[in-house]
């Protein structure tokens, strides 16, 4: 990253962006698709309203200057179950079940303009936000189906837009 920073500095371009791109080089979830999402959300018609980023990596969320519908920067509190993935049927504590319901309720009430699912981000035994926890949240699939449409994707970032 230091070499990328110095090279960009001498070339007259943004050294911080160059260092970030050098560190986050994945073609699926790195700086290039992340910047594509940021630019897409900055377009007229896309640049207002809250969004929700569902990911086990907070990078995109930290670079968006937007309101978020959900309270979780990382969804570990509502996605890690009591069995640490050792059971075929996830088991959650009573307070996690309250949090999981509150999360879906916040999406229903705030109605973010976009829900962004960063597929294939990993955290411990959880390998994909949708498969690992979103699909199992009571009401999430029906909310996504009824109120959103698949809009576009950049790398592993799937973007769903709220229906009019």
């Amino acid at each position: 990253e230091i070499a990328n920073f110095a090279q960009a500095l001498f070339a007259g371009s943004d050294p911080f962006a160059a260092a970030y791109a050098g560190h986050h080089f994945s073609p699926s979830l790195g700086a290039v698709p992340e910047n594509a999402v940021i630019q897409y959300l900055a377009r007229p018609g896309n640049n207002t309203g809250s969004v929700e980023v569902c990911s086990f990596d907070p990078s995109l969320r930290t670079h968006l200057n937007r309101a978020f519908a959900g309270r979780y920067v990382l969804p570990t509190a509502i996605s890690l179950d009591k069995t640490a993935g050792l059971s075929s049927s996830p088991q959650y504590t009573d307070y996690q079940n309250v949090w999981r319901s509150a999360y879906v309720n916040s999406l229903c009430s705030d109605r973010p303009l976009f829900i962004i699912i960063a597929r294939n981000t990993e955290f411990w035994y959880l390998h994909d936000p949708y498969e690992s926890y979103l699909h199992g949240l009571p009401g999430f699939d029906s909310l996504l189906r009824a109120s959103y449409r698949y809009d576009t994707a950049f790398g592993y970032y799937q973007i769903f837009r709220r229906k009019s």
Side-chain angles (χ1 to χ4, degrees):
E1 291 88 28
I2 293 173
N4 293 339
F5 185 91
Q7 186 178 23
L9 191 61
F10 290 123
S13 58
D14 183 351
F16 296 100
Y20 185 77
H23 181 73
H24 295 283
F25 54 84
S26 166
S28 302
L29 289 166
V32 172
E34 184 179 297
N35 285 328
V37 172
I38 292 166
Q39 291 171 6
Y40 180 76
L41 294 177
R43 292 180 188 170
N46 296 349
N47 60 353
T48 60
S50 65
V51 299
E52 181 57 3
V53 178
C54 307
S55 176
F56 293 122
D57 179 345
S59 299
L60 176 61
R61 192 180 267 266
T62 61
H63 293 109
L64 290 176
N65 188 20
R66 298 288 281 270
F68 296 100
R71 68 173 69 168
Y72 301 104
V73 174
L74 288 174
T76 53
I78 59 173
S79 59
L80 294 172
D81 74 295
K82 293 190 301 187
T83 69
L86 298 176
S87 171
S88 60
S89 175
Q91 300 170 21
Y92 299 98
T93 64
D94 291 341
Y95 58 85
Q96 281 180 299
N97 287 326
V98 170
W99 295 345
R100 290 163 58 84
S101 293
Y103 177 72
V104 174
N105 289 341
S106 72
L107 297 179
C108 291
S109 64
D110 190 50
R111 300 189 57 216
L113 182 59
F114 294 101
I115 294 178
I116 302 165
I117 303 175
R119 302 300 301 260
N120 295 318
T121 53
E122 296 184 359
F123 182 83
W124 193 10
Y125 62 89
L126 304 170
H127 302 292
D128 179 89
Y130 180 76
E131 296 296 330
S132 297
Y133 80 97
L134 293 170
H135 179 62
L137 287 173
F140 182 81
D141 282 342
S142 59
L143 169 71
L144 198 63
R145 217 175 10 262
S147 302
Y148 290 84
R149 65 175 174 78
Y150 179 78
D151 195 31
T152 191
F154 299 99
Y156 286 156
Y157 293 106
Q158 292 181 331
I159 301 176
F160 295 84
R161 178 189 294 269
R162 187 180 66 225
K163 294 177 183 175
S164 299

